[in-house]
Amino acid sequence: MLAAMPPTPTPTPAPGAPRVRERGDACPGALRLHSADDGHLARLRLPAGRLTARQVEVLAHAAETLGDGRISVTSRGNAELRGLAGDCGAELAALLAEAGLLPSPTHERVRNIVASPAAGLDGLGAADVQLWARELDERLCAAPWAAALSGRFLFVLDDGRGDVTGLGGDVTLVAVAPGAALLRLGDRTVRVAAADAPRAALAAARAFLTAAREAGTGAWRVRELPEGSGVDVRAALTTAGIAAEPVREPLPPHGAPPALAPGPLGPAALHVLAPLGRFTAGRLRALLPADEVRFTPWRGAVVVGADPGRLPALEAHGLITRPDSPWAGVSACTGRPGCAKSLADVRADAVPGRPGLPVHYSGCERRCGHPHGDWVDVLAAPGGGYLVDGAPVPRTDLTPAVTTARTAPRTAPRTTR
């Protein structure tokens, strides 16, 4: 259970052919460590990104004593610890379990739940989907069959403001008034009662597993199912005793969701971003005191129970607190020296340009952790230099090139890399 994770090749299907996965999902977790050039990596699933104040302290302590002292926030609002020793698995697991961060060892990698981070805080949205996330997590961990889901299968819960609907969920719930939710799985959308939303999401996930088994291709995600092997969502909901009706107007297709801007969220909450998506242990502790902390898909944190007067102090700690900061929306993969595949130390080379489109620095063509929707693609090139949206740029000219790319009008979104 605490073994290091071997690398898994990603098969590339021929054009028009379904993806066939011949090996099991080797996605890293808190109990399955991944070996990297800078040590081992642990990925901790945090449903809805939620941490209590005690859990924030435990995570900071684990990073300092077992890792490299940093906590990375992923595009799903999960946390990663890097620089871990290969034999620290048992100690890490004990720390996390004691803090309530491992409620189910058999399900810890499938607890991928993103929810609108500001739900219930700023008066927007049709429902507090943070409550849905907690119920869904409890039901997910209590269902033995759910452990068969891939570590990449994603539940997305949007409170109606549209901030996370486009994050590529396999099962997407959107709160709508009055007292209802839209559920999307693949190209099917149905309406269910809000009270049934978490149960409906779990039933949809089970329907996916059934379809994946019947397809026989080892699909990890809904989009990997072969054409024609649709998931019968309504039948699954009927079996679960959940009333559902089809929706003529489906949810918008996966696109660019509006990022939650850094700054105040109502009178008693704040949103701050971590530079390049990484908190030091000290910066993470600077978020306290807090009623709770919610990591966000934009690699930041919502601090619940904090008034706007704390923003200057958080900015002094090096956190991004203003939407006009040039570093807002700038992210990067691990790069050198942590990743053997990377061609450059992208974190050291990263420049912000002026505020505008999100920009992501990648050390190789995998582009790990890139944003959803439209973004500026800065890719390390062989022999030095970068490609900025495909155009060669010397390292010394990155600032003007990235500024132009972030602020120039676009005739069409460049969303596929």
Side-chain angles (χ1 to χ4, degrees):
M1 183 171 61
L2 296 171
M5 186 196 76
T8 300
T10 303
T12 302
R19 177 185 290 274
V20 177
R21 294 195 180 273
E22 298 177 350
R23 299 181 60 173
D25 174 21
C27 201
L31 301 180
R32 177 188 282 178
L33 306 185
H34 172 75
S35 179
D37 275 18
D38 59 348
H40 285 74
L41 173 152
R43 184 175 299 156
L44 178 59
R45 269 64 173 189
L46 304 174
R50 182 176 178 270
L51 291 164
T52 65
R54 165 67 178 151
Q55 291 167 343
V56 168
E57 178 56 45
V58 167
L59 198 56
H61 175 72
E64 283 180 329
T65 59
L66 301 177
D68 64 4
R70 298 177 177 84
I71 302 93
S72 297
V73 182
T74 75
S75 59
R76 294 180 169 191
N78 291 321
E80 285 187 351
L81 301 176
R82 299 189 68 97
L84 300 168
D87 60 356
C88 78
E91 185 177 357
L92 176 62
L95 278 174
L96 298 177
E98 187 276 332
L101 290 168
L102 287 177
S104 171
T106 55
H107 291 66
E108 62 97 4
R109 293 188 307 124
V110 304
R111 301 170 67 225
N112 291 302
I113 303 172
V114 171
S116 296
L121 299 177
D122 58 2
L124 303 177
D128 186 350
V129 294
Q130 291 281 324
L131 301 178
W132 291 2
R134 296 178 201 181
E135 181 182 343
L136 175 57
D137 184 39
E138 291 173 0
R139 291 182 178 276
L140 187 70
C141 291
W145 59 263
L149 290 168
S150 159
R152 305 185 189 191
F153 192 90
L154 177 63
F155 297 92
V156 168
L157 282 55
D158 193 297
D159 68 358
R161 73 182 72 206
D163 60 338
V164 296
T165 306
L167 292 183
D170 294 284
V171 176
T172 300
L173 285 174
V174 178
V176 293
L182 301 181
L183 182 151
R184 176 175 67 194
L185 190 147
D187 59 357
R188 306 286 180 87
T189 302
V190 298
R191 183 187 300 267
V192 298
D196 292 330
R199 281 201 307 134
L202 194 61
R206 189 166 195 173
F208 159 75
L209 280 180
T210 299
R213 242 183 341 260
E214 292 174 350
T217 57
W220 294 345
R221 308 202 59 191
V222 172
R223 65 171 178 259
E224 295 179 2
L225 289 172
E227 189 174 351
S229 59
V231 184
D232 195 340
V233 180
R234 291 191 68 191
L237 296 179
T238 299
T239 300
I242 299 170
E245 60 182 67
V247 176
R248 291 187 177 182
E249 295 295 329
L251 293 176
H254 302 311
L260 185 66
L265 295 174
L270 308 171
H271 181 217
V272 296
L273 300 175
L276 296 179
R278 281 187 180 179
F279 286 95
T280 63
R283 285 173 177 167
L284 190 63
R285 288 193 179 100
L287 303 180
L288 301 177
D291 295 340
E292 70 179 35
V293 170
R294 302 172 184 175
F295 283 170
T296 74
W298 308 284
R299 295 181 168 88
V302 168
V303 188
V304 182
D307 65 71
R310 285 183 55 189
L311 284 171
L314 293 174
E315 187 170 16
H317 276 278
L319 296 168
I320 300 164
T321 63
R322 296 174 289 107
D324 61 352
S325 167
W327 286 101
V330 182
S331 58
C333 72
T334 296
R336 288 181 180 173
C339 177
K341 293 183 181 296
S342 181
L343 299 176
D345 184 349
V346 293
R347 290 180 173 271
D349 291 343
V351 295
R354 283 197 295 269
L357 281 175
V359 56
H360 186 73
Y361 290 79
S362 303
C364 76
E365 291 186 354
R366 294 183 302 170
R367 297 174 170 86
C368 294
H370 72 74
H372 287 268
D374 196 14
W375 49 281
V376 176
D377 180 33
V378 184
L379 177 65
Y386 285 84
L387 300 176
V388 177
D389 282 334
V393 174
R395 182 182 284 106
T396 52
D397 292 342
L398 273 178
T399 296
V402 171
T403 293
T404 298
R406 293 192 78 184
T407 57
R410 301 206 173 195
T411 56
R414 290 191 284 257
T415 59
T416 302
R417 311 276 190 231

